[in-house]
Amino acid sequence: MPTASLWERTLTFFPQFRRSLTEECRPDATVAVVGAGDGKFVLPLAEAGYSIIAIESDASALNGGEVLLPTSGIAYAPGLVERMKGADLDHLVRIRCADFLEVDPIEMAADAVWTSCSWHYSANHKRPLGEFVTRMQRLVHPGGLFGAEFMMPVEERHQHIEHYTTPDKLARYFTAADWTVLLTLQTEAFVERAHVGQLHDHTHRMGLLLAKRHQVDHEEVGTRQR
C-alpha cells in the first residue's frame, strides 16, 4: 500500500491541471513533474496511466529519511522511490535527481509539464524567474500542456522577490505566437496548517497558470524556410 505524501494536506490547484491534461493530451501522455518531492503529484498521475519524468534535486525527498514534523517531532518519511514501489508504479516513473536548471530540456521533453511552488525555494532565487519558466516551456512538446501553481505576494518583502508573482505577470511569458493561456486562477490570503518545513500555521496566497503550446504547422514552417 502506498504511504501518504508529507504534502498531502497542502492546498493545490492540481485538480485543474488534471482536468486540462485529460482534455488536451492523450491518455498515455508523458508528464514531467518539476520538483517531484516525495510524489504527491507523481503517484496520482502514474495511477492514471501517464508516464512520468520526475525531476527532483533533493535526494532525501527521493530516497526518504528523517524529517521534523509539527506535532510528532522527528520521524522517518518514505521518499518517492519507496512510495512508488509500494504502489507498484515504479515502471511508469523515470527519476532524474538533478537541479532542474542544469538539465538539458531535450532529455526531459514531455507532452505536459507541472510544477508546484518549486521556484520559491531560496536556492532558486539565485536565478531569474524567467529562466525557470522558459526552461519549463522548452520541455513541452508542440500541442502539449504547461501547468504551474505558485505563491503570490503576502508580505511586503515578497513584493521585492519576482518569484512571488501573479497570474497576470506570469502570463507575459506566454505572449509568443506558439502559446495560448488556457486558465489563470488565484486565491485570497488563507491560513495553511503547519507542515514539514513550516512548523507553524502560516499565511499564503496562491496562483495557477495553465497554457497550451500550439502544434507546429509543418506547411507554414516549410513556407518560411523557402
Side-chain angles (χ1 to χ4, degrees), residues 6-7 67-70 121 193-200 202 204:
L6 286 172
W7 310 97
V67 296
L68 180 59
L69 300 176
Y121 289 101
R193 304 295 292 177
H195 54 71
V196 61
Q198 286 274 14
L199 300 181
H200 302 282
H202 47 283
H204 282 320

Side-chain angles (χ1 to χ4, degrees), residues 4-8 10 14 31-46 52-64 78-81 83-84 92-100 108 113-119 121 124 132 136 139 149:
S5 167
L6 286 172
W7 310 97
E8 201 71 33
T10 55
F14 183 62
V31 183
V33 179
V34 178
D38 67 0
K40 174 179 178 176
F41 307 112
V42 171
L43 267 70
L45 289 170
I52 312 300
I53 303 170
I55 311 168
E56 174 59 58
S57 61
D58 184 355
S60 62
L62 297 176
N63 300 313
L80 174 59
V81 173
R83 296 187 67 232
M84 284 191 313
L92 288 172
V93 182
R94 175 162 62 98
I95 295 175
R96 181 67 186 272
C97 184
D99 180 342
F100 168 69
M108 302 288 107
V113 61
W114 168 254
T115 197
S116 174
C117 304
S118 55
W119 59 60
Y121 289 101
N124 290 330
F132 203 101
M136 277 186 63
L139 297 188
E149 62 183 8

Side-chain angles (χ1 to χ4, degrees), residues 183-200:
L183 178 66
T184 60
L185 294 172
Q186 63 187 64
T187 70
E188 297 296 330
F190 64 94
V191 175
E192 187 158 76
R193 304 295 292 177
H195 54 71
V196 61
Q198 286 274 14
L199 300 181
H200 302 282

